């Protein structure tokens, strides 16, 4: 069965062990006045929806964007109401009134900071809309771009005419009143929506047994392997990461809806201090994505024919000219290696092919950087020069990582950029889980001759055809070569644990843990352990493989 598919499931669907059962009912400031004003305007209006014939391909066009940020803890917010506000901003941005009530598609990025039942229905009702195609997603930060890829494909074939994509989170204010307001809204019924995205479990049971679930723990596996492969010392890599992050932080400082706008330097980002501790080597706190934000965004997309009918000016129109969705070998234990991304190259090549462009044609980039190594590997994969500015948005550690919705803000930023320079082109790249899957969009202010999206099922899983699964060993004892590793420190900077991925002479992999020898773990952060061998044995109580004595 294709694991990336659409299915009708309850919007209450649990993903793995992740569930956030907090429901707050406070309105964002001015919410009722804004929505009531809109509904009074549209309630008596009869809307004629024009759709193209199935075989008459339409060019989809991005016509409106809306974003918000709420840093005021005295005004707790609701993600779905944030989304409504952003939708109204997006409509206003088009320069035309009364569009939202006629949307036939509502695509909503999954909400993590609340456990809603009917958030898409709430949004549609607030907008006086009755979309026939309602879609939400499982956890995965490729969701915004993937939803846009899907919607543009539907518009091009006449299946949709006007669509709204929205997403938002309220982590920063969610604790206010949470104790008295936990649970689901009184009397609310479950509603089924189409779930669009990858339904595979992000980690295997074996990986989870070694604590490899949180991205902050997993991404150092890639970083340490990348550093070793590119022959960087431990300190050189941390400084290089700080220099890359400085570019993101500098951009965020110029973004009105960014969470942090203080423009940190490379030295500030890479130097360990009381406020910038090393949680998981080699990433300092300032290199980590920040989810504790209240941010939201929305995007209005329609057929060119509808934009013409509504009289939306050419200056507001931006085009998705190429797009793609593709995976790596899904579980980290089966990756080809930990320093490159062949699945990302598949995604990028397919997006370029649709756009009929090459890398030198791209003017602007927004490369996903939940952690520096994600952007570092993308820069290498796309063969970009070292002086490339990798972001127009600001990145998740500085702009903010609102759940899975960061790339919707990136798309909004790209729309703003290309409206000012319509002859330019730009790439938005996003990542799901542990560089497990990618979605790419290539944008232009210049109308393409056509939009014809290649069915992602034709190439999305090419990686599985190109590379066989790597054998994974258990119950092993002996000496094995270290391929990569991750370490965890407590808030005082004391090493707590380390996990290695090692391999035997035939390339089979195995995991091993050490949580009893802080001195050994400290040495792993001072002297390069990759390429050396570790003594591995079976733990006496847990049955997991443990390592000691690196030589």
């Amino acid at each position: 069965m294709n694991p990336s598919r659409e299915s009708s499931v309850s919007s209450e669907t649990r993903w793995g062990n992740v569930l956030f059962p907090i429901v707050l009912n406070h309105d964002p400031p001015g919410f009722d006045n804004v929505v009531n004003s809109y509904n009074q305007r549209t309630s008596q209006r009869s809307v004629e929806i024009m759709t193209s014939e199935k075989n008459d391909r339409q060019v989809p066009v991005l016509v409106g964007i809306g974003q918000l940020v709420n840093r005021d803890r005295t005004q707790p917010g609701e993600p779905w109401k944030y989304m409504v506000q952003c939708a109204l901003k997006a409509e206003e941005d088009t320069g035309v009134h009364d569009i939202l009530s006629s949307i036939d598609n509502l695509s909503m990025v999954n909400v993590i900071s609340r456990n809603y039942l009917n958030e898409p229905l709430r949004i549609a009702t607030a907008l006086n809309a009755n979309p026939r195609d309602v879609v939400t997603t499982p956890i995965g930060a490729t969701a915004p771009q993937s939803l846009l890829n899907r919607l543009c494909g539907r518009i091009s074939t006449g299946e949709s005419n006007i669509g709204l994509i929205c997403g938002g989170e309220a982590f920063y204010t969610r604790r206010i009143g949470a104790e008295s307001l936990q649970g689901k809204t009184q009397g609310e019924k479950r509603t089924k929506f189409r779930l669009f995205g990858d339904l595979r479990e992000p980690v295997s049971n074996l990986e989870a047994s070694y604590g490899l679930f949180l991205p902050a723990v997993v991404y150092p596996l890639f970083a340490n392997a990348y550093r070793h492969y590119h022959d960087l010392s431990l300190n050189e890599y941390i400084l290089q990461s700080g220099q890359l992050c400085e570019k993101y932080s500098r951009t965020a400082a110029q973004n009105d809806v960014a969470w942090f706008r203080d423009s940190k330097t490379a030295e500030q980002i890479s130097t360990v201090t009381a406020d910038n501790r090393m949680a998981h080597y080699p990433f300092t706190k300032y290199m980590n994505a920040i989810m504790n934000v209240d941010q939201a965004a929305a995007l209005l997309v329609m057929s060119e024919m509808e934009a013409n009918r509504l009289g939306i000016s050419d200056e507001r129109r931006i085009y998705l000219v190429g797009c793609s969705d593709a995976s790596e070998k899904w579980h980290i234990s089966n990756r080809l290696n930990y320093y490159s991304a062949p699945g990302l190259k598949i995604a990028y090549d397919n997006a370029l092919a649709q756009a009929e462009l090459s890398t030198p044609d791209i003017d602007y980039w927004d490369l996903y950087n939940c952690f520096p190594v994600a952007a570092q590997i993308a820069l290498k994969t796309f063969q970009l020069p070292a002086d490339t500015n990798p972001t127009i948005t600001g990145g998740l550690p500085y702009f903010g990582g609102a759940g899975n919705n960061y790339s919707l803000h990136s798309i909004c930023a790209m729309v703003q950029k290309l409206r000012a320079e319509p002859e330019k082109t730009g790439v938005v790249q996003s990542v799901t889980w542990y560089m497990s899957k990618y979605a790419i969009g290539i944008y232009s202010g210049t109308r393409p001759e056509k939009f014809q999206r290649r069915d992602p099922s034709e190439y999305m899983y090419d990686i599985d055809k190109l590379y066989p699964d790597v054998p994974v060993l258990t119950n092993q004892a002996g000496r094995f070569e270290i391929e990569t590793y991750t370490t965890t420190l407590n808030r005082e900077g004391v090493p707590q644990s380390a996990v290695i991925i090692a391999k035997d002479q035939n390339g089979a992999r195995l995991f091993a843990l050490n949580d009893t020898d802080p001195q050994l773990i400290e040495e792993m952060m001072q002297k390069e352990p990759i390429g050396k061998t570790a003594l591995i044995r079976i733990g006496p109580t847990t049955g997991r493989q443990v390592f000691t004595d690196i030589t």
Side-chain angles (χ1 to χ4, degrees):
M1 181 180 292
N2 187 340
S4 181
R5 65 187 190 273
E6 297 180 35
S7 61
S8 180
V9 299
S10 168
S11 61
E12 194 185 18
T13 297
R14 176 189 290 267
W15 182 259
N17 293 319
V18 181
L19 188 62
F20 297 85
I22 297 174
V23 176
L24 302 183
N25 295 307
H26 299 290
D27 292 354
F31 176 81
D32 285 334
N33 291 337
V34 172
V35 172
N36 290 339
S37 173
Y38 179 80
N39 283 337
Q40 288 169 9
R41 219 169 52 229
T42 62
S43 60
Q44 302 301 319
R45 187 170 63 88
S46 175
V47 179
E48 177 187 359
I49 298 177
M50 299 177 64
T51 58
S52 64
E53 292 296 327
K54 182 77 171 178
N55 295 325
D56 179 20
R57 286 194 175 269
Q58 285 288 305
V59 173
V61 56
L62 286 61
V63 296
I65 59 172
Q67 302 181 81
L68 67 76
V69 58
N70 176 23
R71 304 183 189 87
D72 187 353
R73 276 203 160 178
T74 68
Q75 298 290 341
E78 278 293 335
W80 76 269
K81 293 177 180 178
Y82 285 163
M83 288 183 242
V84 170
Q85 287 186 296
C86 287
L88 295 170
K89 287 174 179 281
E91 182 186 75
E92 182 180 5
D93 183 60
T94 68
V96 176
H97 295 298
D98 304 341
I99 296 174
L100 290 165
S101 60
S102 61
I103 60 171
D104 55 67
N105 164 275
L106 173 59
S107 300
M108 193 201 77
V109 178
N110 66 293
V111 175
I112 303 176
S113 57
R114 301 290 189 275
N115 181 32
Y116 291 135
L117 292 180
N118 288 322
E119 61 273 37
L121 181 61
R122 292 173 174 182
I123 293 168
T125 301
L127 298 176
N128 198 28
N130 187 26
R132 64 178 180 271
D133 180 40
V134 180
V135 184
T136 186
T137 63
I139 288 178
T142 53
Q145 184 63 59
S146 291
L147 287 171
L148 180 59
N149 296 350
R150 174 187 183 272
L151 175 57
C152 286
R154 288 176 60 85
I155 289 173
S156 75
T157 58
E159 296 171 275
S160 287
N161 194 45
I162 306 176
L164 173 69
I165 300 174
C166 55
E169 295 287 0
F171 283 104
Y172 183 66
T173 63
R174 77 174 183 175
R175 291 186 177 88
I176 303 172
E179 290 184 4
S180 61
L181 293 170
Q182 286 190 17
K184 302 175 179 66
T185 302
Q186 191 77 19
E188 194 172 50
K189 297 180 180 179
R190 291 188 179 93
T191 301
K192 291 188 176 182
F193 306 108
R194 185 167 294 154
L195 188 67
F196 176 73
D198 208 303
L199 303 180
R200 290 175 285 184
E201 289 290 343
V203 297
S204 69
N205 291 335
L206 180 64
E207 292 161 0
S209 72
Y210 285 89
L212 299 176
F213 179 79
L214 292 176
V217 177
V218 175
Y219 272 84
L221 296 170
F222 305 123
N224 290 319
Y226 176 93
R227 179 200 68 239
H228 181 262
Y229 179 78
H230 291 286
D231 199 27
L232 297 169
S233 72
L234 279 68
N235 289 334
E236 285 173 339
Y237 177 76
I238 293 174
L239 179 58
Q240 188 182 94
S241 297
Q243 291 168 341
L244 175 67
C245 287
E246 180 180 325
K247 297 178 181 180
Y248 282 89
S249 180
R250 190 186 310 134
T251 300
Q254 302 302 315
N255 192 324
D256 290 342
V257 290
W259 195 254
F260 295 118
R261 303 190 64 193
D262 53 351
S263 190
K264 293 180 174 65
T265 66
E267 183 177 4
Q268 289 174 309
I269 293 167
S270 58
T271 302
V272 175
T273 66
D275 293 329
N276 188 34
R277 65 189 182 90
M278 185 78 71
H280 303 282
Y281 186 85
F283 297 139
T284 63
K285 174 184 173 182
Y286 293 159
M287 296 179 187
N288 281 250
I290 174 73
M291 285 184 67
N292 190 31
V293 300
D294 276 34
Q295 291 172 315
L299 175 68
L300 268 171
V301 188
M302 62 181 62
S303 69
E304 186 178 46
M305 181 174 64
E306 185 68 13
N308 291 340
R309 188 183 77 83
L310 292 170
I312 295 175
S313 69
D314 291 346
E315 290 74 19
R316 313 309 293 166
R317 304 184 188 191
I318 298 299
Y319 301 90
L320 180 69
V321 297
C323 62
S324 64
D325 300 85
S327 294
E328 293 291 352
K329 301 288 288 186
W330 187 251
H331 288 142
I332 57 174
S333 40
N334 282 321
R335 298 293 169 86
L336 176 67
N337 56 58
Y338 297 102
Y339 53 79
S340 70
L344 178 56
K345 188 174 189 309
I346 291 171
Y348 183 55
D349 288 349
N350 275 278
L352 284 177
Q354 182 187 336
E356 299 181 347
L357 296 173
S358 59
T359 299
D361 299 319
I362 307 300
D363 301 290
Y364 297 112
W365 302 88
D366 204 82
L367 305 181
Y368 200 84
N369 82 322
C370 46
F371 302 91
V373 70
Q376 289 162 340
I377 289 178
L379 287 163
K380 292 292 185 183
T381 302
F382 302 159
Q383 298 182 347
L384 300 180
D387 62 353
T388 298
N389 184 357
T391 184
I392 59 168
T393 310
L396 285 78
Y398 316 105
F399 175 87
N404 296 146
N405 203 48
Y406 170 82
S407 64
L408 190 53
H409 291 280
S410 299
I411 295 167
C412 291
M414 191 64 74
V415 168
Q416 292 173 317
K417 201 80 168 172
L418 297 179
R419 280 175 174 172
E421 299 177 278
E423 74 283 0
K424 303 288 190 180
T425 59
V427 166
V428 171
Q429 174 246 355
S430 56
V431 173
T432 279
W433 288 111
Y434 325 106
M435 295 193 293
S436 307
K437 189 175 182 179
Y438 313 97
I440 291 177
I442 303 179
Y443 299 85
S444 176
T446 303
R447 182 192 186 278
E449 291 185 8
K450 62 179 180 179
F451 179 90
Q452 189 164 352
R453 179 193 181 207
R454 185 183 176 193
D455 185 345
S457 66
E458 296 177 8
Y459 63 87
M460 186 180 290
Y461 306 105
D462 280 0
I463 195 76
D464 293 318
K465 303 172 187 174
L466 293 171
Y467 305 106
D469 286 350
V470 177
V472 181
L473 306 175
T474 57
N475 300 315
Q476 299 295 305
R479 283 205 165 271
F480 297 87
E481 181 183 343
I482 298 173
E483 188 174 6
T484 191
Y485 66 101
T486 179
T487 67
T488 299
L489 295 80
N490 66 17
R491 290 187 174 274
E492 287 70 46
V494 177
Q496 297 295 291
S497 64
V499 176
I500 63 170
I501 299 179
K503 57 186 178 180
D504 69 7
Q505 293 180 341
N506 298 316
R509 287 197 175 113
L510 63 159
F511 298 92
L513 170 74
N514 186 303
D515 58 4
T516 60
D517 190 345
Q519 182 177 349
L520 176 63
I521 300 169
E522 181 68 38
E523 289 174 358
M524 295 172 70
M525 298 184 289
Q526 302 296 328
K527 299 177 182 179
E528 180 65 83
I530 296 177
K532 297 179 180 179
T533 63
L535 181 63
I536 293 178
R537 59 183 176 82
I538 307 301
T541 57
T542 65
R544 292 180 297 183
Q545 292 154 166
V546 298
F547 73 91
T548 57
D549 187 29
I550 296 175
T551 58

